[in-house]
Amino acid sequence: MEENKKVNQNGMTRRSFMKGAAAAAAAVSLASVLPTDVQAAAKDPVSVKDIWQNGFWTGKASFPKGAWMVNLSHNESNVASCFSTFSVNANNPKQIAVGWRKYGLPTNTKAGIGDWVGDYHLSVSEDGGKTFTDIDMMPRVREIQREDGLPEEEEYSLWWCNGPWATYGADGTLYTGAICYTALDRSDPEHPRQGRALVFVSHDNGKTFNRATYGMRLSNFADDAVALAVSATRPSTTGIPVGSPGTDPWHTPWDGNFGVASATTDMFVSICGGNVVVSKDGAETYDLVHSIKYPKGWTCSSGTPCVDGNKIIVPFIVTECPDPNIEARSMGVVTSDDNGLTWSDPIIAIAGSQINSVTSVRQVRSPISAASPVKHGHWAFVQYSNDHLRAKVVYTKNGGKTWKSAETPACAGYDDYVEAREVCVGYTAAGEIVVAYRGQKTWANYYTFAALLGKDGRFHKTVLAAPEISTYPYETTQGNYNTNTGSGDYCGWVSGGRKYCYVDVPYSSDGTVLDQYLVAIPLDAMR
């Protein structure tokens, strides 16, 4: 196995991000966003670096005492990272795994093999997030046998990735994967891009991996499953009309895959395109693929599922409903106890008028849900307050019989933003609810916040989850892929151990390099 790169919580202190003439310019940029009591020091590039002591921010109390952040990617200016998800092993919170993406700038989704970087990385920790080992997963992706409709020729190999994820099972098994796709141009009728949902499994926290399996096979669709969307640019090889749903291997999506494991049973669920498939043997084999279903007359937007024991919980937003008493944009859940074969009637958790479920820019995996790893029947999902400035969590402690909600307060001194975005929710290893979200000043720069739900059902304060405002580098606005979202910064993630809340943060304090960080915040500092 290739040598893995290790980084630690001093990574930001040790990295040299100001050199020569660029240093002075960066210092001026930093001075405009650093807390007032250290703006004078910010004029001296050396002092800016010295503000970090052993990985701990010492500038202002708003970034909690004892918090730290680890640079996972250590990018150069022609590379960026964002769109990560991570998992804390609830039964051993010292183990943390982060799936993240490294991509070249400017973005070029039509690049051929070797002409661009769009790589899947996994960072794993054995010490509660103080140090991480970086694992480049692409050699494993590219060596797998091309099957399930992929020809053997090299040009059809799975070469790029999107949306990496990681999740721990009840026995400590680490599952990780991504949508991995060919380098072929999807607008080319003769060579449409196609992807596969890959799943890797490690039983030793990333030291070794089983050969990848396909998280969703077209050949494994149940009769009741809704087929995946087909390409609009290539006539179907099976006679399906162009643009119609189908299961032709040439017409599979290459986005939207996710995986989640139960913290208490052997269930692992792979999700893609409104479909779910279950494995109970460590992703060696899978049940049939089933679609998430709603009653006749209901049109709903499904979010990111969670798992409680052997129950799959899917949050949704109502678009249309035959019941006049249910408001549009109301939110709730459907559940399945039989691996997705049948689904409960929709359970409405909150009326549309009580929550803002509209995202002004693309936010994938929304709404995001989570289940407590220690308390069955405790589930939560999150969206926005009605003014779209704060997070609003909706939660149940009795399996959906009753629901409560709570909004985060403003972060004192850091409320000069126009909109909240990338809201997410998770549970700590002890079953406490944590949320994180961005405070967007403009489309290009944002604060990152986190909050802990108290035992009284209130968020008592919101804290900074990054010490400075972050700015998308100019290079992320170039290229051909989502140039107003950091070239693919679509969602955040939050979870917790027993002592710390963890937040993933795509972060660039001076607007020159966008790196992927994991932030650790003492839970006691959030109470």
Side-chain angles (χ1 to χ4, degrees), residues 245-260:
T247 54
D248 186 337
W250 283 93
H251 296 277
T252 53
W254 52 275
D255 242 345
N257 171 244
F258 191 68
V260 60

Side-chain angles (χ1 to χ4, degrees), residues 101-150:
R101 185 175 183 243
K102 183 188 290 282
Y103 56 94
L105 298 174
T107 52
N108 182 8
T109 58
K110 297 183 178 181
I113 289 176
D115 294 337
W116 186 60
V117 175
D119 291 352
Y120 159 28
H121 281 248
L122 180 74
S123 293
V124 293
S125 178
E126 294 277 3
D127 57 10
K130 292 183 174 65
T131 63
F132 282 84
T133 299
D134 173 32
I135 305 168
D136 182 356
M137 298 297 291
M138 295 312 294
R140 296 173 175 85
V141 169
R142 292 165 182 162
E143 74 184 6
I144 70 167
Q145 179 183 351
R146 290 181 281 283
E147 53 183 287
D148 199 29
L150 284 171

Side-chain angles (χ1 to χ4, degrees), residues 333-416:
V333 299
V334 290
T335 67
S336 176
D337 293 308
D338 53 10
N339 298 350
L341 176 62
T342 61
W343 294 86
S344 69
D345 289 334
I347 303 168
I348 298 298
I350 191 166
S353 59
Q354 298 177 33
I355 197 166
N356 194 325
S357 59
V358 177
T359 55
S360 59
V361 295
R362 184 178 179 187
Q363 180 178 335
V364 303
R365 297 177 175 160
S366 177
I368 292 171
S369 69
S372 169
V374 293
K375 300 174 183 177
H376 286 300
H378 286 223
W379 318 326
F381 61 81
V382 67
Q383 280 294 95
Y384 301 96
S385 59
N386 280 334
D387 59 10
H388 218 290
L389 292 175
R390 297 173 303 281
K392 186 166 186 174
V393 68
V394 183
Y395 63 97
T396 179
K397 294 183 177 181
N398 53 19
K401 293 183 177 68
T402 58
W403 296 83
K404 296 181 179 180
S405 64
E407 291 183 12
T408 57
C411 183
Y414 295 89
D415 57 358
D416 57 334

Side-chain angles (χ1 to χ4, degrees), residues 169-302:
D171 62 353
T173 296
L174 170 59
Y175 302 84
T176 181
I179 281 290
C180 297
Y181 54 94
T182 66
L184 303 174
D185 184 357
R186 62 174 173 171
S187 65
D188 179 356
E190 296 302 318
H191 303 95
R193 175 173 296 158
Q194 51 183 310
R196 296 295 182 270
L198 297 187
V199 178
F200 293 90
V201 174
S202 176
H203 298 287
D204 51 17
N205 204 36
K207 295 181 179 63
T208 60
F209 291 87
N210 292 352
R211 179 181 176 276
T213 58
Y214 286 83
M216 194 163 288
R217 288 181 177 275
L218 300 173
S219 58
N220 208 32
F221 273 45
D223 291 340
D224 63 326
V226 176
L228 303 177
V230 303
S231 168
T233 61
R234 178 185 171 93
S236 172
T237 58
T238 58
I240 301 172
V242 175
S244 301
T247 54
D248 186 337
W250 283 93
H251 296 277
T252 53
W254 52 275
D255 242 345
N257 171 244
F258 191 68
V260 60
S262 170
T264 57
T265 71
D266 57 3
M267 175 180 275
F268 166 74
V269 184
S270 179
I271 304 108
C272 190
N275 297 295
V276 299
V277 63
V278 170
S279 174
K280 292 188 176 180
D281 60 3
E284 290 292 329
T285 62
Y286 295 84
D287 196 7
L288 292 177
V289 177
H290 296 285
S291 291
I292 301 165
K293 300 181 185 68
Y294 300 95
K296 185 177 180 180
W298 287 67
T299 303
C300 300
S301 174
S302 301

